[in-house]
Amino acid sequence: MACGPYWTFVVKCRARERRARRDDPARDNERQVGLRVQLEGRQLGCERDERWLFQALEFSIEDGDLCRVEGPNGSGKTSLIKMLTGQLEPSEGAVLWQGKPLPKARAAFHGALVYSGHLSGVKEALTPLENLSWYQAIGIDDDARSVAARWQALDAVGLKGFEDIPVAQLSAGQRRRVGLARLHLLNRPLWILDEPFTAIDREGVAALEHLVAEHCHKGGAAIVTTHHAFSSVAFTRRIGLDGHGGHHVL
Amino acid sequence: MSSEGGHSWARAFRYTFVRDLRLRIRHGSEWGSPLIFFALIVTLFPLATTPDRTVLVTFAPGILWVAALLAVLLSLDALFREDHDDGTLEQMLLSPVPAWLLVLAKMCAHWVMAGLPLALMSPMLGLMLALPSSVFWVTALSLALGSATLILIGAIGAALTVGVRRGGLLLALMVLPLYIPVLIFGAGVVRLALDGIDVTPYLAILGAMFAAALALSPWASAAALRLAHSG
């Protein structure tokens, strides 16, 4: 028991160190830089009901890339997105994250990804603020930033003032915005957005376009499927699917 | 790094647990219906069979346990379905936190809202079935432990049928055979207690089944969810 005071001292020092590390503003940038986007498709193929939607698709997405997946309805855009996020096993070929096949690199990959799909991922019985805090918790976001980050994200999607209202009472566009607040909330380099503009008003669309462009400009990467024409943004890559097994990559 | 990782995993677990409790409490009717179902079935038995206390007490362990089992089965269909429909399940599977941990958090919340209340209600309903008050504790304990096992086992089935519309019957067909050992030993505990025999061996077996289910089910359910979700 003689070492009691010594141990309390050590424990206190460690706690102080940990706090200092957590509050260090440089740390976020460090993490952003530390994670580089390198997502590749190798000979990807998707078969649905004995029909090949696409085959032998080759591409790679890196830092700063803004990639658009285009094609008519039913051409396999969403299937491709699901393969890229690791939700769907490719019928042939593989998706690589930083050179490793997805199932093996799952935790690292999902720690670098924000995904927004057809489903909003928003709990209707919860308030926007409760939804956001859950995203942070399952996204392993920083403790210290969390409260401020939540409010910032709400403000950025124009939902300040609605934070305490259950999502079920909000409009369809506002519900989408709660889901899109993830983009502001989580500090992730790769965004994969499947039809992000559904139900969003004109101003919201412009803001989102701007946000995606800025994210890629800062060194992040984004993959977007949309029928909507981006007015102000140039895509660095395009993956076009024609729905009959053919594709082109630019 | 590892301690920090552990810390954030714990936070993810806690938030998911609290979120699920909150959702259940806000959807009061959904939460209450399995409990009301449990109470109704148990109430109907004395009406349909006999009010004779000596006869009734021999059936009591079986009635309580079968009713609890069906109530758990009824509640399980909702375990993942809502999350699947609104896309939060997708977000859980795409989280850097392992899916089994989040699934375990959901199961724990489900037990608190759908399993534990059954155990707490059992003395009241036992009274109606002429159970002597000396076995109330054992009954509640067996139901608390048993319902947790039933939820863990049933969650695998619920995860597999999450993409199926009206998967309730399919779920029952898949899960019921696996429920039989739990039912035998669970009801057995109460029967032994009624006869005044030492219940610890049966309780230990019930506990062992719980431990095995706890070790396997979160992992299997998470795998099943990925499978069902990718279809």
Side-chain angles (χ1 to χ4, degrees), chain B residues 10-91:
Chain B
R11 198 162 72 103
F13 180 90
R14 200 173 69 236
Y15 270 70
T16 308
F17 178 74
V18 170
R19 179 197 80 139
D20 265 44
L21 287 188
R22 207 175 259 159
L23 285 171
R24 294 295 163 80
I25 291 166
R26 288 190 193 164
H27 283 296
S29 60
E30 217 171 276
W31 165 62
S33 59
L35 306 182
I36 293 169
F37 178 79
F38 178 56
L40 279 180
I41 294 192
V42 175
T43 318
L44 289 179
F45 265 92
L47 298 177
T49 53
T50 166
D52 183 355
R53 295 175 65 86
T54 50
V55 180
L56 212 49
V57 78
T58 58
F59 287 123
I63 294 171
L64 278 175
W65 257 89
V66 168
L69 185 147
L70 292 176
V72 166
L73 198 58
L74 188 74
S75 71
L76 272 175
D77 193 43
L79 181 55
F80 298 116
R81 184 163 311 274
E82 206 187 304
D83 282 4
H84 177 263
D85 290 347
D86 64 19
T88 46
L89 182 68
E90 217 167 45
Q91 296 299 331

Side-chain angles (χ1 to χ4, degrees), chain B residues 8 10 23 32 37 40 43-44 52 82 106 108 115 130 141 143 153 171 210 223 231:
Chain B
S8 43
L23 285 171
F37 178 79
L40 279 180
T43 318
L44 289 179
D52 183 355
E82 206 187 304
K106 283 186 71 66
C108 290
L141 183 65
L143 277 173
I153 296 172
L171 172 67
F210 169 69

Side-chain angles (χ1 to χ4, degrees), chain B residues 55-178:
Chain B
V55 180
L56 212 49
V57 78
T58 58
F59 287 123
I63 294 171
L64 278 175
W65 257 89
V66 168
L69 185 147
L70 292 176
V72 166
L73 198 58
L74 188 74
S75 71
L76 272 175
D77 193 43
L79 181 55
F80 298 116
R81 184 163 311 274
E82 206 187 304
D83 282 4
H84 177 263
D85 290 347
D86 64 19
T88 46
L89 182 68
E90 217 167 45
Q91 296 299 331
M92 278 165 60
L93 295 177
L94 292 179
S95 143
V97 184
W100 60 261
L101 190 73
L102 301 177
V103 167
L104 183 64
K106 283 186 71 66
M107 291 166 175
C108 290
H110 193 77
W111 179 73
V112 170
M113 298 309 276
L116 192 59
L118 296 181
L120 296 179
M121 280 164 75
S122 68
M124 195 176 67
L125 297 171
L127 206 62
M128 212 146 45
L129 297 174
L131 270 187
S133 59
S134 56
V135 302
F136 282 177
W137 276 113
V138 177
T139 311
L141 183 65
S142 79
L143 277 173
L145 199 58
S147 62
T149 317
L150 296 178
I151 287 170
L152 284 166
I153 296 172
I156 304 173
L160 279 172
T161 55
V162 76
V164 185
R165 292 280 136 213
R166 307 193 186 285
L169 185 65
L170 191 63
L171 172 67
L173 286 175
M174 271 184 346
V175 162
L176 270 180
L178 298 170

Side-chain angles (χ1 to χ4, degrees), chain A residues 185-250:
Chain A
L185 190 67
L186 305 170
N187 180 24
R188 304 276 174 81
L190 177 62
W191 294 359
I192 297 187
L193 313 173
D194 196 358
E195 298 288 355
F197 299 110
T198 314
I200 294 203
D201 60 20
R202 201 184 298 161
E203 282 162 39
V205 168
L208 185 56
E209 274 182 18
H210 181 71
L211 182 71
V212 172
E214 196 174 87
H215 173 69
C216 295
H217 187 68
K218 280 197 292 195
I223 303 172
V224 184
T225 74
T226 179
H227 295 290
H228 164 90
F230 267 55
S231 49
S232 55
V233 184
F235 289 93
T236 57
R237 266 158 219 276
R238 280 162 191 271
I239 300 173
L241 306 172
D242 66 6
H244 305 290
H247 64 265
H248 60 272
V249 178
L250 294 173

Side-chain angles (χ1 to χ4, degrees), chain A residues 123-203:
Chain A
K123 272 281 167 215
E124 302 215 328
L126 300 181
T127 67
L129 212 52
E130 287 165 344
N131 270 298
L132 295 194
S133 61
W134 183 67
Y135 294 144
Q136 280 179 319
I138 67 159
I140 313 193
D141 212 42
D142 252 343
D143 250 349
R145 292 173 67 235
S146 53
V147 177
R150 242 174 276 162
W151 283 98
Q152 259 168 26
L154 271 184
D155 196 23
V157 293
L159 285 176
K160 221 172 196 176
F162 296 96
E163 69 275 354
D164 281 338
I165 299 170
V167 175
Q169 292 171 27
L170 300 178
S171 75
Q174 283 172 321
R175 284 178 213 185
R176 274 303 297 178
R177 282 162 182 259
V178 177
L180 289 173
R182 282 198 294 270
L183 300 177
H184 298 276
L185 190 67
L186 305 170
N187 180 24
R188 304 276 174 81
L190 177 62
W191 294 359
I192 297 187
L193 313 173
D194 196 358
E195 298 288 355
F197 299 110
T198 314
I200 294 203
D201 60 20
R202 201 184 298 161
E203 282 162 39

